[in-house]
Amino acid sequence: FELQRDGVPRIRIGSMLLDIDTWDLLFGRVRVQQASLARVYVHAERRPDGSLDLGMPDFGADPTSEPGASPLDFSIAGFTLDRARIRFRDGALTSEVVVRRVEMGEYSLARDTQSVPLTWDMRLDGQHLEGDAVLEITGQQVATRGRLATGMLDLGHILQLARLEPGLSGQGSFNGDFAWDGHQLSLNGGVMSPGVTYQVAQRRVELGGLEVPGLELDLVTAPALRVQMRFPRGSRLASLANEIAGHRVSGTGIELTTLLQIEDEWLKNSDTLLHFDAVAWQSGERRVEANGLEITGRFEQSLKGDTLFPATDSAVKADSLHFADGGARIDVALQGVRVQDL
C-alpha cells in the first residue's frame, strides 16, 4: 500500500496482517486477534495550528456520538510494528524516527479501566530509545510507568519539536525508571551529559561533563511548577560557568550531593556537600580564586535573576584562597581557610 500527494510518497506499508474474528462481527463486536505492520514509511508535516498532515484526503468533519451512546465494542489482542521510518517536518525543522520494533499488548475500547503493556526499540535522529512501559487507562485519563534507556539526545532540538521555549540546549542521556501521571513526572536513574547550557532572564549557566549515577526527580507542572531533585553521592561535574549582570563564576572538578527544590521562583538546596577542585569569581577587575573548596549546608537562590549570590547557612573550607582587585591595588592570598558558620 502506498499513498502519495503531489507525487511525493507520504505513507507506505510493505506488509500488513489483520486477523479478525468474523463470528463476533455478526454480534456487533470487533475482535482483532492479531495485527502487525512491517516495512512502514511515513512522511508527516506539522501544520501552523499544530495538527499533523499525513497526506490523507479530507474526509470531512468527524461524526459525533449521540449523548449516552455506548462505545464501540472493539478489542485487539496485540499489535506489532516492525521496521518503520517516520520523517517529520515542522517548517525548517526536521526529525527522523527509525523503529526497529514496537509491541503493544491487549487493549479494549469497551473497558473503563485497563493496563496495556508496551515495549519499543527505536532511534530518534540516530540516538537509541529503548524501553518498556505499562499504560494505565482509566476513562479518559492515561498514566504510565516503565523503564527507559536513551543515547545522547539533542535537548534543544527536542524542545523545538515540542514547540517549547528553547532555554535549554546541549545533549543528555537517561537510563532508569520513569512514571508520568497527568501533570506529574518522576525519574529515577542515571543521567549523563557532555554539555548543557541553560539561560533564564539574565542568568546563563553552562555545565560540562555531567555524571549523576542515580538522579531522583519529581516534577509537577500544574497548578504551579514544583521540582524536587536529589543528587546522590558520586554525582560529578567536570566544569561549570555561571554568568549574570557582568559577574562570572567558573569551576572545575566538581562533586555534588544535595536535595534541590524549585518552587515559587525560588531554588533551595539542603543536605548539600559541594566540592570544587578549583573555582573562580570575577567582576571587572575584582577576582577571587579558590582551590580545594568544600561547602556544606543549605542555600536559597531567587530564579528571577535579581540577586547574584544565594542566601546560605553553611560551613566553608579551602586549601587556598586568592583575592585581587586591580583597581584598588589589593592582593590577598590565604592558605587553609576555615569558616564554620557562614
Side-chain angles (χ1 to χ4, degrees):
F1 169 82
E2 180 173 287
L3 173 67
Q4 296 187 2
R5 174 179 285 182
D6 299 327
V8 177
R10 300 299 299 273
I11 298 177
R12 183 187 301 124
I13 300 175
S15 67
M16 176 172 63
L17 172 64
L18 194 63
D19 183 1
I20 299 178
D21 191 325
T22 54
W23 180 255
D24 276 313
L25 291 177
L26 299 177
F27 298 94
R29 300 188 297 262
V30 180
R31 299 285 187 266
V32 180
Q33 303 298 331
Q34 183 181 4
S36 65
L37 297 175
R39 303 190 307 279
V40 176
Y41 171 82
V42 176
H43 180 161
E45 297 188 2
R46 176 177 278 166
R47 300 185 181 98
D49 64 0
S51 62
L52 288 181
D53 178 9
L54 298 177
M56 301 288 289
D58 186 3
F59 296 108
D62 293 334
T64 56
S65 299
E66 297 181 4
S70 299
L72 175 67
D73 191 355
F74 169 88
S75 66
I76 181 171
F79 171 77
T80 300
L81 176 61
D82 190 23
R83 289 167 293 165
R85 183 182 301 271
I86 304 170
R87 290 184 175 175
F88 175 80
R89 179 180 296 275
D90 184 1
L93 190 67
T94 62
S95 185
E96 183 176 79
V97 176
V98 176
V99 177
R100 292 186 175 181
R101 190 173 180 86
V102 172
E103 295 183 0
M104 186 188 77
E106 183 180 0
Y107 170 73
S108 172
L109 282 177
R111 296 179 192 164
D112 288 335
T113 302
Q114 58 191 312
S115 299
V116 181
L118 182 69
T119 63
W120 62 89
D121 180 1
M122 61 182 69
R123 300 293 183 269
L124 173 61
D125 295 323
Q127 297 297 320
H128 74 267
L129 283 170
E130 303 172 11
D132 56 78
V134 174
L135 303 179
E136 302 288 354
I137 303 174
T138 305
Q140 300 297 318
Q141 305 298 318
V142 179
T144 183
R145 53 183 170 79
R147 178 191 60 84
L148 175 66
T150 79
M152 285 295 171
L153 304 179
D154 188 331
L155 304 178
H157 189 65
I158 291 175
L159 290 177
Q160 288 181 304
L161 290 174
R163 291 190 173 180
L164 298 175
E165 290 295 328
L168 183 71
S169 61
Q171 294 178 310
S173 69
F174 175 77
N175 189 346
D177 299 326
F178 71 92
W180 172 76
D181 187 356
H183 299 290
Q184 185 168 353
L185 172 68
S186 298
L187 299 176
N188 188 341
V191 175
M192 298 183 66
S193 172
V196 171
T197 299
Y198 176 68
Q199 184 146 6
V200 56
Q202 300 180 11
R203 184 182 299 274
R204 178 182 175 88
V205 180
E206 298 178 0
L207 309 178
L210 175 66
E211 296 182 18
V212 183
L215 176 71
E216 298 178 18
L217 167 67
D218 288 304
L219 169 67
V220 177
T221 59
L225 177 66
R226 297 201 320 272
V227 180
Q228 178 170 296
M229 285 191 291
R230 182 177 295 277
F231 292 82
R233 186 175 298 275
S235 301
R236 293 181 174 85
L237 188 62
S239 63
L240 162 71
N242 184 3
E243 295 183 23
I244 178 174
H247 298 265
R248 178 179 175 84
V249 177
S250 59
T252 58
I254 304 162
E255 297 183 13
L256 172 66
T257 303
T258 189
L259 174 63
L260 180 150
Q261 296 172 298
I262 299 176
E263 188 171 4
D264 298 329
E265 297 186 308
W266 280 89
L267 184 151
K268 301 179 181 181
N269 297 69
S270 58
D271 302 327
T272 299
L273 170 59
L274 180 62
H275 170 86
F276 292 86
D277 285 350
V279 62
W281 166 82
Q282 184 166 2
S283 177
E285 296 186 68
R286 294 175 297 168
R287 182 174 177 85
V288 177
E289 298 176 340
N291 293 311
L293 177 67
E294 187 171 286
I295 305 173
T296 57
R298 60 184 180 87
F299 305 84
E300 292 185 2
Q301 173 73 58
S302 171
L303 295 177
K304 299 178 182 179
D306 52 354
T307 57
L308 174 62
F309 295 108
T312 179
D313 180 6
S314 58
V316 180
K317 62 181 181 179
D319 294 340
S320 64
L321 185 67
H322 179 216
F323 171 75
D325 186 337
R329 297 183 179 179
I330 297 175
D331 194 297
V332 178
L334 302 173
Q335 301 291 327
V337 178
R338 302 289 186 272
V339 180
Q340 287 300 111
D341 297 295
L342 177 64

